Amino acid sequence: EFFLVSFVDVFGVLRSKMVPAEAIGFVQKEGAGFAPFAAYQNYGPDAADMIAIPDPTSLIQVPFDKSIGFVIGDCYINGEKVPDSPRWVLKEQIDKAAKDGYVFKTGVEPEFFLLSADDHLCISDPADSKAKPCYETGALMRRFKVLTEIVNTLNDSGFGVYQTDHEDANGQFEINWHYSDCLTTADRHVFFKWVVKTLAEKHGFRATFMPKPFANKSG
């Protein structure tokens, strides 16, 4: 019923337009418009609209809400590629590697913290207090419901998750999936972060991808 036509800005923030299914044909051709100055792109307030053209290869029907299609766009201004768009920067490196006969593949081991929704300075699980919490089963199981919904969402989207664990810091978790060509991995990482944040809120938590949000805890 709706598509989230999205791009990532230079600070790593995901930005989207919600497009009704009836309008996606028009948006696929003409793009979704964004004011680049408002999204921290390197343009002034007088700049023309930045147009995100959806890349259908990135389209995922969201497993936990099949009324939503998540798709990532390539950004243009006045028909020219936006040079500081992270996706274009990556595509340029892919092309350089291809000219030398290489296929650019990457994998990620993304980690995140689950925080309290009421106090962002606290992790969500007060019992997760061990000095060495890495791989601790009790802390993993106390967040089993949200973690399994995240993993099932990723696997239903073709990720191939092969393990999940509690990481080295209190409140920190890691989910691993199979490597792929680097553009697919990057697009999946964008979707992954959106899924984690969205489902964390659904379960009454908040997620952060900061590597060390607390000065007195590991990161």
Side-chain angles (χ1 to χ4, degrees):
E1 296 177 16
F2 290 93
F3 291 81
L4 290 180
V5 179
S6 307
F7 74 95
V8 176
D9 71 16
V10 294
F11 288 101
V13 176
L14 182 66
R15 301 184 183 273
S16 306
K17 285 285 185 78
M18 189 173 72
V19 177
E22 296 82 359
I24 195 62
F26 170 81
V27 170
Q28 180 64 54
K29 181 180 178 181
E30 301 294 335
F34 298 83
F37 178 76
Y40 287 114
Q41 300 302 116
N42 190 26
Y43 294 88
D46 58 332
D49 273 0
M50 183 174 72
I51 304 300
I53 302 292
D55 180 349
T57 67
S58 70
L59 176 62
I60 296 175
Q61 185 178 26
V62 177
F64 57 80
D65 188 341
K66 292 186 179 296
S67 69
I68 302 172
F70 183 95
V71 64
I72 299 174
D74 288 316
C75 297
Y76 299 83
I77 292 180
N78 292 327
E80 301 290 330
K81 298 176 183 177
V82 175
D84 59 352
S85 167
R87 204 165 190 264
W88 279 126
V89 172
L90 178 58
K91 283 187 171 185
E92 288 175 0
Q93 300 309 309
I94 293 170
D95 290 342
K96 288 179 181 179
K99 289 176 182 177
D100 290 332
Y102 296 101
V103 176
F104 193 175
K105 296 187 177 183
T106 55
V108 292
E109 294 187 353
E111 301 169 352
F112 58 94
F113 286 81
L114 290 176
L115 307 180
S116 166
D118 300 320
D119 184 351
H120 300 171
L121 299 179
C122 293
I123 62 173
S124 67
D125 180 6
D128 186 355
S129 59
K130 293 185 182 298
K132 286 285 187 180
C134 199
Y135 314 124
E136 207 270 305
T137 307
L140 187 72
M141 295 308 296
R142 286 192 295 274
R143 293 296 171 260
F144 185 76
K145 288 184 178 180
V146 61
L147 292 172
T148 52
E149 187 168 7
I150 291 169
V151 170
N152 288 336
T153 295
L154 300 179
N155 278 338
D156 289 345
S157 303
F159 276 50
V161 173
Y162 59 88
Q163 61 186 20
T164 302
D165 64 72
H166 189 293
E167 264 302 311
D168 197 50
N170 303 111
Q172 187 183 41
F173 300 89
E174 178 179 299
I175 297 176
N176 305 134
W177 64 84
H178 291 295
Y179 73 92
S180 187
D181 69 275
C182 64
L183 185 62
T184 297
T185 296
D187 288 345
R188 284 177 173 174
H189 191 235
V190 170
F191 180 71
F192 163 80
K193 291 178 71 176
W194 176 75
V195 166
V196 169
K197 289 186 175 184
T198 301
L199 292 181
E201 290 185 4
K202 173 185 174 181
H203 285 263
F205 312 125
R206 286 181 67 90
T208 179
F209 293 87
M210 294 176 65
K212 186 176 170 62
F214 305 106
N216 62 338
K217 291 181 171 64
S218 297

